[in-house]
Amino acid sequence: MKKFIALAVGASFLFVFSAVGATKKEKIDKYEHWLKEEVKLLITQEEEKEFKKLKTDEEKDEFIEIFWAKRDPSSGTKENEFKDEWYQRLDYVNKTFTSGPRKGWRCDMGKVHMFFGPPSSTSATAGTKRDDPMGGSQIEASSETWIYQPMPDLGLLEAFRVTFREYQFGYDLDQQTPQSILRALEIFRQRVIFNADLKTL
């Protein structure tokens, strides 16, 4: 009987210890998930370094609030339209782009959708096989093109097209993508900081 009681007490200690460990892990996962899955495309290098230095949950929660406040285009209102739009796009790309080793926001189509939003129209072409004058044949990969209206804030002053070609692991940006589009993808995270000097709420 004593042996049974000792085993029961020992098991309860293990349960409590593992529950505490699980709670701590959930907290860590919450902030890691935010950093690595929710805002990886958006956070600047400086912000990421700063966030990783924070020790307490309170500091991290405050950082996240300020992070989104800096990206609020209408800071005088309760709504943060940019944040809402970001999470809508994130949900869409993670549910839509699910093939290949890079999924969701990690694939080229996902990244473009996160930064430029849904295209105004799309077109697709099937792969074709062409005879090579030197002998043999060449295969032109399938492609999908997204058409967008001008985005002056990103330096795209006219309507533009983003073309993806089907390569080995899914659809990637066409290798002939214009530099203006590549540049716009690069500078996006800086262009959406509307309140750069904000330090506290």
Side-chain angles (χ1 to χ4, degrees), residues 12 19 22 25-27 37 48 70 77-78 87 96 103 115 119 129 139 161 196 198 200:
S12 65
K25 189 173 189 307
E26 282 174 14
K27 286 182 180 177
E37 297 294 332
E48 186 169 350
K70 286 181 177 180
T77 65
K78 289 183 179 180
Y87 278 106
T96 304
K103 297 177 174 61
F115 290 156
K129 187 176 180 181
I139 296 175
R161 298 166 177 262
L198 188 66
T200 58

Side-chain angles (χ1 to χ4, degrees), residues 88-105:
Q88 286 173 18
R89 292 182 186 182
L90 188 64
D91 182 61
Y92 175 82
V93 301
N94 285 337
K95 288 178 178 176
T96 304
F97 306 116
T98 57
S99 61
R102 292 182 299 147
K103 297 177 174 61
W105 61 264

Side-chain angles (χ1 to χ4, degrees), residues 154 178-188 191:
L154 296 175
Q179 282 300 315
S180 58
I181 293 173
L182 297 177
R183 174 69 178 154
L185 293 170
E186 254 181 56
I187 65 174
F188 178 88
R191 290 290 192 271

Side-chain angles (χ1 to χ4, degrees), residues 132-186:
D132 192 315
M134 303 298 291
S137 60
Q138 290 183 341
I139 296 175
E140 182 81 11
S142 301
S143 68
E144 185 170 327
T145 299
W146 295 357
I147 296 127
Y148 286 96
Q149 296 307 307
M151 296 183 183
D153 291 345
L154 296 175
L156 300 166
L157 306 179
E158 299 177 352
F160 62 97
R161 298 166 177 262
V162 182
T163 298
F164 306 90
R165 291 206 178 274
E166 188 176 18
Y167 295 112
Q168 187 174 1
F169 297 112
Y171 282 84
D172 290 333
L173 274 173
D174 187 277
Q175 293 175 357
Q176 304 301 316
T177 299
Q179 282 300 315
S180 58
I181 293 173
L182 297 177
R183 174 69 178 154
L185 293 170
E186 254 181 56

Side-chain angles (χ1 to χ4, degrees), residues 67-87:
F67 175 90
W68 288 117
K70 286 181 177 180
R71 292 159 175 82
D72 187 352
S74 54
S75 55
T77 65
K78 289 183 179 180
E79 299 297 320
N80 185 333
E81 299 85 355
F82 178 82
K83 178 183 177 183
D84 293 343
E85 178 67 18
W86 184 260
Y87 278 106

